[in-house]
Amino acid sequence: MTIPPPLSIRALDLIGNTPLVRLEGPSREAGCDIFGKCEFLNPGASVKDRAALGIVRDAEARGELEPGGCVVEGTAGNTGIGLALVCNALGYRCIIVMPDNQSREKTDTLLALGAELVLVPPTKYSDCNHFVHTSRRLAEETPGAVWANQFDNIANRRAHIETTAPEIWAQMDGRIDGFTCAAGTGGTIAGVGLGLKERDENVVVALTDPHGAALYEYYAHGELKAEGRSVAEGIGQGRITGNLDGAAIDTQFRVSDAEGLAWVDRLLREEGLCLGLSSGINVAGAVMLGRLLAAQGRPKARVATILCDTGFRYLSTLYNPEWVAAQGLPPIGRPGRD
Ligand code: PMP
């Protein structure tokens, strides 16, 4: 990993090379050192900028994406934001297909960034009109277009093998005992896990799964089975995606929204970090991993996790006490509360 000298930095070089911070509260709770990779500092304010850039560069390298071409994806979230920015920087059209029941903030954000939006009625994944299938068809029908296909396109996890993992390794001086995060596409957990194990096979890689996802049961008992529900955006997977296929997962935890939200609250009030719910769930998992390693005779372990996106993306939801109360969850970010 090389950091270019300042005067030759281009906008796309701002993706990645994020800082790693020691998280004081989580470290105290777990009795070990817990570090968070600040992915909310990417230009699109999430970890998905890395996957967006990796997918676009891979399509270029394979000759599928040519100058003036177009990138199409079905996504309602951070990947669309990352793709829109990367496409602007490289002169490509960007078409995002999403269900028409998403928040106004999401549509407004994608439109503001210059993506062309195609809204379709929400429907089951098995329906051929689902937004993911629609995006694939649209890519096939549009001249010069490629389908990003973030779930099964392993250029996604390769971006983490080639950038996120070596960055964490270097930032921790090659002394890391465990890594954990949740999975959406699975690109981050699979890519960082494989990249760290390449350097030290003893690094324990743990999946932290939200409720409502099927991967905890799969890694624990070999069966894809979901339980409960979660309001966390961007995570919670029901199948073994192309990016998860062959991932090295040693152990797994299940974390509730209330547990994740408690960490979102503490990280904001105690450390000044305003983050989304997947980050809180990841930190809850990192505390569990630190305790597990201590119980296995590895006290003072060094554990890393991902701070996936900014909390500013959730002002009308997570940071809105009325919305949170309607979900039956405790409010966050209000000083003076017990
Ligand atoms: N957190 C957030 C907020 C996300 O948008 C995503 C991406 N879906 C993830 C976590 C999980 O990342 P990945 O797709 O690499 O599993």
Side-chain angles (χ1 to χ4, degrees):
M1 180 193 43
T2 51
I3 300 177
L7 292 181
S8 64
I9 291 180
R10 298 286 186 271
L12 284 179
D13 297 328
L14 297 175
I15 295 177
N17 283 316
T18 54
L20 187 77
V21 286
R22 185 172 189 278
L23 300 172
E24 302 300 333
S27 298
R28 260 196 320 275
E29 278 306 314
C32 69
D33 288 316
I34 294 184
F35 299 91
K37 185 82 167 136
C38 296
E39 293 303 295
F40 58 93
L41 293 178
N42 281 303
S46 92
V47 66
K48 296 306 296 204
D49 285 11
R50 294 183 192 257
L53 182 59
I55 286 169
V56 167
R57 289 301 195 200
D58 175 70
E60 288 175 334
R62 285 188 292 106
E64 287 183 8
L65 188 58
E66 293 182 341
C70 173
V71 179
V72 185
E73 182 63 318
T75 166
N78 286 322
T79 304
I81 291 171
L83 283 173
L85 294 176
V86 169
C87 286
N88 286 354
L90 295 171
Y92 300 120
R93 265 178 88 189
C94 177
I95 304 179
I96 300 297
V97 185
M98 59 192 268
D100 63 13
N101 61 349
Q102 298 297 296
S103 72
R104 174 77 196 274
E105 288 151 297
K106 285 187 176 172
T107 28
D108 284 356
T109 303
L110 287 164
L111 285 172
L113 299 181
E116 295 168 47
L117 282 193
V118 176
L119 299 176
V120 296
T123 178
K124 299 191 298 283
Y125 186 78
S126 54
D127 183 334
C128 65
N129 292 319
H130 186 269
F131 68 97
V132 170
H133 308 314
T134 306
S135 71
R136 187 189 55 237
R137 273 197 308 277
L138 196 59
E140 283 161 7
E141 289 160 9
T142 307
V146 294
W147 184 41
N149 188 19
Q150 58 168 331
F151 290 93
D152 297 313
N153 179 352
I154 59 166
N156 170 357
R157 85 173 179 204
R158 204 179 309 124
H160 294 286
I161 294 174
E162 290 174 359
T163 70
T164 325
E167 287 171 31
I168 293 174
W169 181 258
Q171 287 167 316
M172 294 182 73
D173 291 325
R175 290 186 297 122
I176 171 166
D177 300 283
F179 173 80
T180 188
C181 71
T185 64
T188 311
I189 181 86
V192 176
L194 291 169
L196 289 175
K197 278 179 183 282
E198 252 174 45
R199 292 166 174 83
D200 177 359
E201 60 185 13
N202 295 318
V203 177
V204 175
V205 177
L207 171 82
T208 294
D209 221 23
H211 287 199
L215 297 180
Y216 174 87
E217 283 294 331
Y218 178 79
Y219 289 112
H221 306 116
E223 194 190 350
L224 282 166
K225 204 169 90 184
E227 213 173 87
R229 66 183 278 273
S230 170
V231 298
E233 293 183 27
I235 57 172
Q237 184 50 254
R239 68 180 176 98
I240 300 301
T241 61
N243 280 291
L244 282 168
D245 190 16
I249 310 281
D250 300 303
T251 189
Q252 57 286 322
F253 308 112
R254 188 185 269 146
V255 171
S256 70
D257 283 358
E259 290 169 295
L261 216 47
W263 277 116
V264 171
D265 185 36
R266 285 191 58 179
L267 291 166
L268 177 59
R269 292 196 292 144
E270 297 172 14
E271 322 218 10
L273 293 169
C274 180
L275 301 164
L277 182 49
S278 66
S279 303
I281 287 175
N282 283 352
V283 169
V287 171
M288 291 175 177
L289 181 54
R291 289 184 179 144
L292 177 73
L293 292 171
Q296 290 175 347
R298 289 164 88 169
K300 300 265 168 257
R302 287 154 63 91
V303 171
T305 191
I306 303 288
L307 306 179
C308 312
D309 72 350
T310 173
F312 300 152
R313 200 149 277 163
Y314 307 100
L315 296 184
S316 70
T317 56
L318 296 179
Y319 291 88
N320 170 3
E322 282 153 30
W323 185 91
V324 173
Q327 310 300 318
L329 294 165
I332 54 172
R334 303 283 146 154
R337 187 171 76 68
D338 284 342

